[in-house]
Amino acid sequence: RLGNATYVDSNGLIKTAYRNLVKNSQEFNQSTWNKSNAAVTSPTFAIAPDGTETATKVTINQQSASYLGLHSSHSWSVTAGKTYTFSIYVKSTGNPSHFTMQFGSGSTVTRLAKTATPNEWTRYSITHTAAANNDPIYFNNYPDDFSTEALIWGAQVVEGTEAGDYVRTGSTATGAARYSHDPETLVPTGLYLEPATTNYWHHSNLFTFDGFAGVNGMYSYSLNLTADAAIAPDGTLTAASVIPKGNLSGGNNYWMQQQHGQTTAGSTFSCFIKYNGWRYIAIRNGHGTPSAAALFDITNGTLVYTTGNATANIEAYPNGWYRISCSNPVAGAGWASIVFRQNDDVSSGAPQYTTPNDGVSGIYLWGIQWEPNSYPTSVIIASGNDTTRAADTYTSTATTVLDRDG
């Protein structure tokens, strides 16, 4: 897989299977790695953290421009403006020594300060926002005033702020296979293989905002949006609080929407939602004709009704979260909306529903996604732009696939 992707772990939490951008992540003797005033052994020098004999010894001289690293002259690149985490496992050879780590160059550098090599295998990491597409990574002895001797293993660079589970690579960068679970029963569902798709909702986890026109085509009407207000389905503090302002005299609807501009037939709008005092939420996939909408009761996890061409679903996740979705089999008008119904007696004959219009009751929201598929796929977190998940590719001669989480 040529990118990060998500899955549900054995605890029902949404986790990310990262793509390791480093090639030859254990074979530091390959030409992929630049050795400047440094030497490495073959990758069979010592026992690695996984119990295999695949660790390498590196020696870095006490002189100017000394390092083991990756940079543009060795086909290494990142994307300027994106955030990455560089990690590596380190252990002492038995001889006291120190080391440093570096991401970037010039005036924009992130470093791990001079650190003693530990007696046991330890994973170190630094997170860096790339200033240029050729920002290098180094395992070194900055500022070149001491020598380094260490055992190393498992170099990894992933997009994001977490080091992620280590993924071994060879001559190409790759991501780990995903083995998912049912989020409610926690029963393993096996190997997760999906086609490529794009999330066209630009801010999956929202941002703090109380106006009308947002950024990248998102609009909010009479809602208070507060980012990073609650623990999300992935265990991080990234879920937004969304509360109707309660300042409309008898008004029925409060909503947010985004014009994504796509008119694909067979599309799905979805999000993760949690009760915080507001019981009924509707989502709408497309505006006007054809339109598809669905109303959900998030206190008991039920689909109340659908309108238009909608096919809808609600799925329980741990800690009170639900994922709701609304699929439209025909081409929409390029909009998607999340609507707070206060008093709703639509012509379908559904009864009237009432939620406190007090300016305090609301919901928690996370992982908003509009995609050109007839069903919801694994969540793709977008942070300001259209975000694409690469397709999974898998080749094996095995006849049985085992679940890594049991």
Side-chain angles (χ1 to χ4, degrees), residues 221-239:
Y221 185 68
S222 290
L223 299 174
N224 285 318
L225 278 58
T226 304
D228 304 332
I231 301 299
D234 67 347
T236 64
L237 186 65
T238 53

Side-chain angles (χ1 to χ4, degrees), residues 334-348:
W335 289 83
S337 308
I338 299 172
V339 183
F340 292 71
R341 305 281 189 182
Q342 183 193 352
N343 299 299
D344 193 340
D345 53 354
V346 297
S347 59
S348 65

Side-chain angles (χ1 to χ4, degrees), residues 28-162:
F28 300 99
N29 59 335
Q30 295 295 311
S31 59
T32 307
W33 290 90
N34 182 263
K35 280 79 72 174
S36 177
N37 299 314
V40 297
T41 65
S42 68
T44 57
F45 184 84
I47 301 300
D50 66 350
T52 62
E53 195 173 317
T54 54
T56 296
K57 183 176 102 170
V58 58
T59 303
I60 302 174
N61 298 334
Q62 182 181 336
Q63 62 187 95
S64 177
S66 300
Y67 58 82
L68 170 70
L70 297 174
H71 49 65
S72 57
S73 64
H74 287 237
S75 300
W76 166 256
S77 67
V78 289
T79 301
K82 289 189 174 182
T83 299
Y84 300 88
T85 298
F86 166 35
S87 61
I88 193 168
Y89 291 84
V90 183
K91 183 182 177 182
S92 172
T93 62
N95 296 322
S97 189
H98 293 79
F99 69 96
T100 57
M101 293 168 62
Q102 177 178 324
F103 203 147
S105 61
S107 60
T108 308
V109 173
T110 301
R111 288 192 178 92
L112 174 71
K114 184 178 180 181
T115 301
T117 53
N119 293 327
E120 302 296 335
W121 281 109
T122 305
R123 194 182 193 190
Y124 296 89
S125 65
I126 53 176
T127 297
H128 172 77
T129 299
N133 293 340
N134 60 353
D135 270 12
I137 62 168
Y138 297 122
F139 183 85
N140 56 4
N141 56 347
Y142 181 83
D144 303 319
D145 61 356
F146 61 94
S147 61
T148 294
E149 179 183 285
L151 300 178
I152 56 173
W153 184 83
Q156 178 158 292
V157 173
V158 299
E159 185 177 339
T161 59
E162 297 181 2

Side-chain angles (χ1 to χ4, degrees), residues 184-209:
E184 185 172 17
T185 66
L186 307 183
V187 172
T189 55
L191 183 64
Y192 209 171
L193 298 175
E194 294 182 301
T197 196
T198 299
N199 183 4
Y200 288 96
W201 187 286
H202 291 159
H203 287 274
S204 296
N205 300 341
L206 300 180
F207 47 91
T208 299
F209 178 65

Side-chain angles (χ1 to χ4, degrees), residues 185-317:
T185 66
L186 307 183
V187 172
T189 55
L191 183 64
Y192 209 171
L193 298 175
E194 294 182 301
T197 196
T198 299
N199 183 4
Y200 288 96
W201 187 286
H202 291 159
H203 287 274
S204 296
N205 300 341
L206 300 180
F207 47 91
T208 299
F209 178 65
D210 64 358
F212 177 68
V215 296
N216 291 330
M218 198 195 91
Y219 297 84
S220 172
Y221 185 68
S222 290
L223 299 174
N224 285 318
L225 278 58
T226 304
D228 304 332
I231 301 299
D234 67 347
T236 64
L237 186 65
T238 53
S241 166
V242 184
I243 298 176
K245 291 183 177 180
N247 58 1
L248 295 183
S249 57
N252 292 335
N253 295 338
Y254 311 80
W255 47 262
M256 69 179 68
Q257 66 180 14
Q258 180 179 299
Q259 184 176 19
H260 50 72
Q262 305 298 310
T263 56
T264 304
S267 62
T268 299
F269 183 45
S270 63
C271 60
F272 290 82
I273 197 165
K274 183 176 179 177
Y275 178 77
N276 187 31
W278 196 278
R279 182 172 183 176
Y280 297 99
I281 296 293
I283 55 177
R284 183 169 57 182
N285 184 2
H287 284 195
T289 303
S291 178
L295 178 69
F296 301 90
D297 181 341
I298 58 172
T299 61
N300 57 22
T302 57
L303 169 65
V304 179
Y305 65 81
T306 60
T307 65
N309 301 289
T311 299
N313 186 57
I314 182 167
E315 183 177 26
Y317 278 71

Side-chain angles (χ1 to χ4, degrees), residues 344-366:
D344 193 340
D345 53 354
V346 297
S347 59
S348 65
Q352 187 176 76
Y353 299 100
T354 302
T355 294
N357 183 22
D358 55 13
V360 177
S361 301
I363 61 168
Y364 295 118
L365 194 60
W366 185 83

